[in-house]
């Protein structure tokens, strides 16, 4: 379900009931919106937000899957005790008017408080099987989440976009947050059983995050792994010519070396398979840059950009060999093949 800018609320009629759902995806919905006070005065009810109105007309205890943009406080307060059957939760960046995806950068008022509120909300849920969090600008405090959900998790995604908070932070060398080696080891101990894992791994110029990959390889049950690494080196700038972004020459970060290519993807996949004791890994996605952001989001969707993101998909063939591709080269292959 997705609302548009003119559809601020469902027509919640008195005594009406909303269809009970087990799965719900919500985008661009105004949870805070409240009807005009004069309408409530006529029908004799106190002002109510969309969140409160929707809560009262649907049995949210039946919901098992929720995929939602990073919600406001009113949603967290309204539904904190309503989702007793939830097994899968996705918190993703908010979609803006132009289709762009927004990250909660530190310059946003109450950014820290919102992150803490998300931790409190998620920690209050019943043990989840799937948890996906992206767009929070900084890593959420993982220990409370893992204490509650770690041993039940079968799918975990912790992902941020590469350069979203650079200008907002006033720091051109800002890089997205990623887990340290110690945090990765703690994640492994507290969430030992995911079969699907998506993480951002930090790498320094001139090398791949081999130590971090070695830690991730100790997740013995992982069969599907997605690793995001930085495409650009914010400490080294260069002139891009030609560059059609805003119809002017651009000063851009240089590409991070070494660059992700077919041989590198094959090598990393082979290395991970060798390090993983159980040899369970079947699929690996390696992503450099903000690959496949939502259409309309960011300059790279509107203009040619010299620093194009890249992704390689690798899998184990039936004969045990490794096979990697650039997805765009195989348009007839859908995700189910991977």
């Amino acid at each position: 379900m997705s609302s548009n800018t003119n559809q601020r609320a469902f027509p919640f009629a008195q005594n009406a009931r909303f269809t009970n759902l087990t799965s719900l995806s919500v985008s661009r919905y105004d949870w805070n919106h409240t009807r005009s006070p004069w309408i409530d005065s006529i029908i004799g009810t106190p002002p109510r937000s969309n969140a409160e109105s929707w809560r009262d007309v649907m049995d949210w205890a039946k919901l098992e899957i929720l995929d939602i943009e990073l919600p406001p406080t009113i949603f967290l307060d309204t539904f904190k005790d309503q989702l007793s059957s939830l097994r899968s939760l996705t918190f993703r960046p908010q979609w803006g008017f132009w289709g762009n995806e927004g990250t909660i950068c530190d310059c946003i008022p109450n950014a820290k408080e919102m992150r803490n509120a998300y931790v409190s909300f998620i920690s209050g849920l019943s043990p989840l099987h799937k948890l996906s969090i992206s767009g929070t600008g900084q890593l959420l405090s993982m220990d409370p989440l893992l204490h509650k959900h770690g041993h039940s998790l079968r799918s975990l995604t912790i992902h941020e976009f590469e350069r979203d908070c650079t200008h907002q932070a006033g720091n051109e060398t800002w890089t997205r947050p990623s887990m340290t080696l110690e945090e990765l080891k703690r994640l492994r101990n507290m969430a030992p059983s995911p079969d699907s894992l998506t993480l951002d791994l930090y790498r320094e110029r001139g090398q791949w995050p081999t130590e971090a990959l070695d830690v991730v390889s100790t997740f013995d049950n992982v069969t599907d792994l997605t690793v995001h690494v930085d495409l650009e080196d914010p400490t080294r700038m260069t002139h891009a010519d030609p560059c059609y972004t805003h119809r002017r020459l651009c000063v851009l970060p240089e590409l991070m070396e070494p660059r992700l290519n077919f041989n590198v993807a094959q090598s990393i996949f082979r290395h991970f398979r060798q390090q993983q004791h159980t040899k369970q890994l079947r699929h690996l996605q390696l992503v450099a840059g903000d690959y496949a952001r939502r259409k309309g989001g960011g300059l790279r969707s509107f203009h040619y950009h010299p620093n194009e993101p890249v992704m390689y998909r690798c899998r184990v063939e039936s004969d045990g060999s490794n096979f990697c591709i650039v997805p765009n080269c195989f348009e007839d292959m859908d995700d189910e093949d991977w």
Side-chain angles (χ1 to χ4, degrees):
M1 185 282 297
S2 177
S3 69
N4 58 49
T5 53
N6 296 319
Q7 183 70 37
R8 287 181 148 318
F10 294 112
F12 297 112
Q14 200 166 15
N15 300 321
R17 295 293 297 174
F18 199 90
T19 302
N20 290 330
L21 303 173
T22 58
S23 179
L24 176 64
S25 179
V26 184
S27 298
R28 299 195 64 207
Y29 189 68
D30 190 350
W31 298 98
N32 284 297
H33 181 70
T34 304
R35 286 185 307 197
S36 299
W38 68 271
I39 297 178
D40 291 307
S41 65
I42 292 175
I43 62 178
T45 59
R48 300 176 67 75
S49 67
N50 283 352
E52 293 167 315
S53 296
W54 199 349
R55 176 197 60 193
D56 294 341
V57 298
M58 192 178 95
D59 187 356
W60 290 79
K62 296 185 181 300
L63 196 65
E64 299 176 8
I65 301 172
L66 179 60
D67 181 336
I68 186 175
E69 294 176 336
L70 291 167
T73 302
I74 187 67
F75 177 91
L76 305 178
D77 292 341
T78 302
F79 293 100
K80 62 182 179 181
D81 298 318
Q82 302 293 315
L83 303 171
S84 58
S85 298
L86 201 67
R87 295 296 176 263
S88 173
L89 176 65
T90 298
F91 275 1
R92 51 181 162 77
Q94 294 180 344
W95 291 354
F97 178 80
W98 296 107
N100 57 299
E101 298 159 307
T103 293
I104 299 179
C105 300
D106 285 336
C107 63
I108 296 175
N110 301 320
K112 183 176 181 180
E113 289 78 3
M114 285 304 303
R115 296 185 192 114
N116 291 337
Y118 293 146
V119 171
S120 178
F121 177 83
I122 298 171
S123 300
L125 297 172
S126 299
L128 296 169
H129 295 166
K130 177 182 178 181
L131 177 61
S132 177
I133 304 171
S134 56
T136 56
Q138 295 291 338
L139 297 179
L140 299 185
S141 178
M142 293 301 297
D143 280 1
L145 304 184
L146 296 174
H147 275 299
K148 184 61 176 285
H149 306 288
H151 283 272
S152 64
L153 285 176
R154 297 299 176 264
S155 177
L156 176 63
T157 295
I158 306 294
H159 174 52
E160 297 296 322
F161 293 127
E162 181 173 340
R163 298 274 288 162
D164 268 28
C165 295
T166 299
H167 300 295
Q168 292 91 330
N171 180 4
E172 287 298 322
T173 61
W174 181 91
T175 57
R176 64 178 161 200
S178 56
M179 291 187 181
T180 64
L181 290 177
E182 289 305 314
E183 288 171 333
L184 286 172
K185 292 176 183 177
R186 192 158 66 250
L187 173 65
R188 165 62 180 84
N189 292 332
M190 299 179 72
S193 303
D195 50 47
S196 177
L197 187 62
T198 297
L199 295 172
D200 304 328
L201 298 185
Y202 175 76
R203 64 165 174 154
E204 296 181 350
R205 184 177 181 85
Q207 57 186 314
W208 292 101
T210 306
E211 289 184 279
L213 285 170
D214 287 346
V215 174
V216 175
S217 72
T218 62
F219 285 83
D220 290 336
N221 293 329
V222 168
T223 60
D224 293 89
L225 174 65
T226 297
V227 172
H228 295 264
V229 296
D230 286 348
L231 174 75
E232 299 174 335
D233 181 355
T235 66
R236 300 167 67 93
M237 307 300 289
T238 185
H239 286 273
D241 186 14
C243 178
Y244 300 106
T245 304
H246 290 174
R247 300 180 182 177
R248 67 172 185 265
L249 294 178
C250 299
V251 178
L252 299 171
E254 291 185 4
L255 291 173
M256 183 75 79
E257 300 287 351
R259 302 183 187 184
L260 180 60
N261 56 36
F262 177 82
N263 289 334
V264 168
Q266 288 270 42
S267 177
I268 291 177
F269 189 37
R270 189 180 306 112
H271 175 79
F272 192 97
R273 291 264 302 160
Q274 291 171 347
Q275 292 295 113
Q276 189 184 34
H277 296 304
T278 58
K279 313 300 182 190
Q280 291 293 310
L281 185 69
R282 312 306 295 176
H283 305 117
L284 171 67
Q285 285 194 145
L286 288 168
V287 187
D290 295 335
Y291 188 92
R293 293 192 69 168
R294 184 171 183 264
K295 294 297 184 182
L299 296 176
R300 297 180 188 184
S301 295
F302 285 110
H303 306 279
Y304 165 77
H305 197 288
N307 293 353
E308 288 293 337
V310 63
M311 177 171 74
Y312 284 86
R313 285 181 173 178
C314 303
R315 72 180 182 192
V316 178
E317 296 287 77
S318 58
D319 62 0
S321 62
N322 301 331
F323 178 60
C324 297
I325 65 166
V326 178
N328 288 346
C329 296
F330 289 76
E331 295 179 355
D332 58 328
M333 288 188 176
D334 58 30
D335 288 339
E336 293 182 358
D337 295 321
W338 292 87

